[in-house]
């Protein structure tokens, strides 16, 4: 199904919102090397709350990007893993990661120049 993400009612727009979310990018990246448990993901993705991690993981499972596997052991163990769809998504996200790392110095310089130009002089 092709869509027009510039149309506010297009489902493609919802998907772009999901995959463009900072937490989705970081969670998918953290699972690139294989399955992880909830707490392991939370440790890799510093700054994410348990509530947001739970919500994001649930959404990614719903969208078919992750699988959730619960093991019937004591204590209970749950792992999350990229699906083939998730692995496909990880490729362009890896490219964005490399772009950000490569250009961070330029972006920082641009921010500093902008802030210097738009900050009122002290009296």
């Amino acid at each position: 199904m092709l869509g027009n993400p510039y149309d506010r009612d297009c489902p493609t727009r919802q998907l772009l919102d999901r995959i463009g979310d900072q937490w989705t990018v970081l969670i998918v990246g953290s699972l690139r090397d294989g399955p992880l448990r909830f707490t392991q993901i939370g440790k890799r993705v510093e700054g994410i709350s348990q509530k947001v991690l739970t919500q994001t993981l649930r959404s990614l499972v719903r969208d078919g990007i992750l699988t959730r596997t619960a093991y019937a052991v004591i204590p209970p163990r749950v792992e999350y893993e990229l699906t083939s769809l998730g692995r496909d998504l990880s490729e362009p996200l890896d490219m964005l990661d490399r772009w950000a790392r490569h250009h961070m110095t330029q972006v920082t310089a641009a921010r500093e120049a902008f802030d210097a130009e738009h900050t009122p002089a002290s009296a």
Side-chain angles (χ1 to χ4, degrees):
M1 169 171 92
L2 295 177
N4 178 2
Y6 297 96
D7 177 351
R8 78 172 128 207
D9 297 322
C10 181
T12 310
R13 187 179 214 166
Q14 294 172 356
L15 182 57
L16 286 173
D17 287 345
R18 165 61 48 221
I19 62 176
D21 175 73
Q22 70 169 330
W23 301 120
T24 294
V25 171
L26 296 171
I27 290 169
V28 169
S30 73
L31 292 167
R32 186 175 36 230
D33 295 328
L36 294 172
R37 295 172 71 167
F38 181 90
T39 54
Q40 292 172 308
I41 298 168
K43 287 178 183 175
R44 286 197 183 180
V45 182
E46 293 181 14
I48 191 169
S49 70
Q50 287 192 351
K51 177 182 177 183
V52 171
L53 179 56
T54 298
Q55 291 171 338
T56 306
L57 289 170
R58 186 174 294 132
S59 295
L60 292 170
V61 170
R62 181 174 181 250
D63 289 342
I65 294 168
L66 301 182
T67 57
R68 179 186 185 275
T69 305
Y71 296 93
V73 295
I74 297 175
R77 189 178 90 202
V78 176
E79 288 183 343
Y80 294 89
E81 185 173 15
L82 294 174
T83 61
S84 62
L85 187 62
R87 286 189 296 279
D88 283 349
L89 174 61
S90 72
E91 293 174 22
L93 294 181
D94 286 345
M95 289 175 30
L96 285 172
D97 178 40
R98 285 193 304 275
W99 183 91
R101 291 171 193 255
H102 182 75
H103 294 286
M104 194 63 234
T105 303
Q106 292 169 278
V107 171
T108 300
R111 287 176 180 173
E112 290 171 356
F114 180 91
D115 291 347
E117 186 177 321
H118 292 89
T119 300
S122 298

